[in-house]
Structure formats: structure tokens, C-alpha cells
């Protein structure tokens, strides 16, 4: 069992795309787990065990070693600031993080920004030389400018449909987001053969940087340690 890779993986859209990528790489991974309530799914034929987690918790499970590797969006990786290795840009679950507001917004004396990502937002506006009050919200971020809680929001945008339906517009892009393969530091040493073999197999099937179209987000070199919110990681 010591050679089993424990993988922290979000359910839903990311799992579907990641499991498809794993199967293309030659691993026998279940197609869909949404019809089960199991939180730990053993896949002995692939030598893996999946820990079905909330996306925001994946880096925590990996940092503390209950999962050897995990799949997580770059947004969560930067916001959570966990001490892990980033191995691959998988090029899936593409979206962008943007500053969003009402079309008639103009700068005021006191500016407030609502977001699920206070760490990223604070650093971004600080680098822009803008003094803003950042308000942490956990859901329905688009509501904040509509009811006057905040002047603008920082959130993820995929198709922009939700913004259009609520009369909001993208003002500025902050960074492009894709899902990343991360690893626990100790696991990366102790199970290096298994992890590197997985990376090699995935590299054969992940989109090229041009296909990912992620601007400043290129595939990370193997074993790169990340902390903080430097956008060019």
C-alpha cells in the first residue's frame, strides 16, 4: 500500500476534466463519481486512492501529507498560500480572474472591493497603487455592487454569462487560471518514481502552452516550490 498514490481531487467539473486527462494518459480512472457519496475512492488497478475534497481544501490535504498529490486551480493555490510543490499546468478548467463592476462605475474617495480572494485582490490593488478596502465574501459575489456593499468585485469569469445577466462588466483582467498538479514535499521524495511517471504520462496529453492560451501561465517545471501570490508562478 505504500506505493499507492493518494490524490486529493475536487468533485464535479474539475474531476470530470482531470479524470479524462488521466484516462488519456493510460490510467484506468472512473468516469464519474458524482453518483456516489463515498469520500475516499480506491482505484487499485491504477494504484491510486482518490480523496474527494472541496477545491479550497485540496492544498491543505497535500501540505499536511494526507494526500500525496492533488489537483487544484491556480486561484486556490495562490490564495491559500500552502507549502507544496507545483508540478504541472494541466491546462484544464480554464477561466480568468478579473476586476468587475457596474458599467457606470467611477473612482470614489473610499473604494471597497468584495471577493472570495482577499489575498490576491489585496496584492493586486497594492501593486496598482490603489488603496481599497477588501471585503471577504463566500458566495454570490456579483450581488455586492448591485446592493452597494462594494464598488467592485474580484472574481473568476468563464463565459461572462452571469455578469451580463446582472448588468456587470469586466474592467481589468488580473490573471488567467488553469488547474495544476501539486505534490506534498515529502511524498515527492519518497514516491518520486510514481509521481514522476504520472507527470511524464500527463505531459504527453496536456494541451500545449499555445492551446492553453494562458498568457503568463506556462507549465511549471517539475518540483517547483510555491508560496505567496506572485502572479508569474
Amino acid at each position: 500500500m505504500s506505493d499507492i498514490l493518494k490524490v486529493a481531487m475536487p468533485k464535479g467539473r474539475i474531476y470530470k476534466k482531470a479524470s479524462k486527462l488521466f484516462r488519456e494518459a493510460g490510467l484506468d480512472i472512473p468516469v464519474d463519481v458524482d453518483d456516489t457519496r463515498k469520500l475516499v475512492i480506491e482505484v487499485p488497478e491504477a494504484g491510486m486512492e482518490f480523496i474527494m475534497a472541496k477545491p479550497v481544501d485540496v492544498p491543505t490535504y497535500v501540505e499536511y501529507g494526507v494526500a500525496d498529490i492533488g489537483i487544484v486551480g491556480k486561484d486556490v493555490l495562490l490564495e491559500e498560500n500552502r507549502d507544496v510543490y507545483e508540478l504541472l499546468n494541466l491546462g484544464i478548467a480554464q477561466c480568468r480572474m478579473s476586476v468587475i463592476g457596474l458599467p457606470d462605475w467611477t473612482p470614489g474617495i473610499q473604494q471597497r472591493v468584495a471577493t472570495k480572494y482577499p489575498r490576491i485582490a489585496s496584492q493586486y490593488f497594492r501593486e496598482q497603487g490603489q488603496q481599497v478596502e477588501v471585503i471577504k465574501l463566500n458566495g454570490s459575489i456579483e450581488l455586492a455592487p448591485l446592493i452597494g456593499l462594494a464598488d467592485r468585485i474580484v472574481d473568476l469569469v468563464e463565459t461572462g454569462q452571469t455578469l451580463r445577466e446582472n448588468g456587470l462588466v469586466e474592467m481589468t483582467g488580473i490573471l488567467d487560471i488553469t488547474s495544476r498538479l501539486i505534490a506534498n514535499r515529502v511524498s515527492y521524495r519518497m514516491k518520486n518514481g510514481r509521481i514522476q511517471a504520472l507527470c511524464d504520462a500527463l505531459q504527453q496529453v496536456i494541451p500545449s502552452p499555445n492551446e492553453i492560451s494562458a498568457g503568463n501561465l506556462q507549465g511549471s517545471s517539475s518540483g517547483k516550490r510555491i508560496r505567496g501570490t506572485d502572479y508569474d508562478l
Side-chain angles (χ1 to χ4, degrees):
M1 291 294 291
S2 62
D3 203 35
I4 293 290
L5 278 183
K6 296 184 178 181
V7 186
M9 178 89 80
K11 267 191 173 185
R13 182 173 62 97
I14 293 180
Y15 177 85
K16 290 177 181 178
K17 293 185 176 183
S19 62
K20 180 176 182 292
L21 202 63
F22 276 37
R23 289 192 299 276
E24 290 174 353
L27 298 167
D28 190 8
I29 303 300
V31 174
D32 198 346
V33 297
D34 287 337
D35 57 351
T36 178
R37 293 179 179 271
K38 293 184 67 175
L39 299 176
V40 178
I41 300 173
E42 297 179 357
V43 189
E45 56 272 27
M48 292 182 173
E49 179 180 283
F50 287 94
I51 301 169
M52 309 310 297
K54 286 185 176 293
V56 71
D57 292 332
V58 168
T60 302
Y61 293 154
V62 173
E63 180 183 32
Y64 282 90
V66 296
D68 300 308
I69 59 175
I71 292 178
V72 63
K74 186 70 174 183
D75 55 320
V76 175
L77 207 50
L78 291 173
E79 184 65 29
E80 290 299 305
N81 192 36
R82 294 294 178 178
D83 189 7
V84 298
Y85 288 131
E86 180 180 338
L87 305 180
L88 287 176
N89 179 353
L90 299 175
I92 59 174
Q94 298 180 49
C95 56
R96 57 193 176 276
M97 185 172 292
S98 298
V99 181
I100 297 159
L102 293 166
D104 59 354
W105 175 83
T106 55
I109 296 176
Q110 184 176 8
Q111 300 181 39
R112 291 185 295 186
V113 175
T115 184
K116 296 177 184 177
Y117 306 96
R119 181 181 179 86
I120 296 174
S122 295
Q123 178 171 325
Y124 171 76
F125 286 108
R126 187 167 55 248
E127 291 176 351
Q128 302 304 307
Q130 300 181 34
Q131 291 187 339
V132 302
E133 178 186 356
V134 176
I135 302 172
K136 174 70 159 52
L137 290 180
N138 294 306
S140 300
I141 307 299
E142 297 85 1
L143 188 60
L146 302 181
I147 62 175
L149 176 63
D151 307 290
R152 292 169 291 172
I153 63 175
V154 169
D155 203 9
L156 299 183
V157 179
E158 187 173 2
T159 66
Q161 182 64 32
T162 301
L163 301 186
R164 290 189 291 272
E165 289 180 356
N166 288 281
L168 300 172
V169 296
E170 283 186 81
M171 296 175 169
T172 308
I174 297 178
L175 71 160
D176 293 295
I177 302 294
T178 51
S179 291
R180 308 302 173 99
L181 179 69
I182 61 174
N184 172 268
R185 292 188 297 143
V186 174
S187 296
Y188 188 72
R189 294 196 303 270
M190 301 299 293
K191 299 183 179 182
N192 184 266
R194 284 294 317 277
I195 294 174
Q196 193 56 54
L198 174 62
C199 289
D200 292 343
L202 289 172
Q203 281 183 316
Q204 301 303 311
V205 297
I206 61 176
S208 68
N210 287 337
E211 292 174 316
I212 294 173
S213 300
N216 63 331
L217 298 180
Q218 303 298 320
S220 298
S221 58
S222 182
K224 185 174 182 180
R225 185 176 179 179
I226 65 166
R227 284 200 79 123
T229 56
D230 296 329
Y231 299 133
D232 60 349
L233 286 175

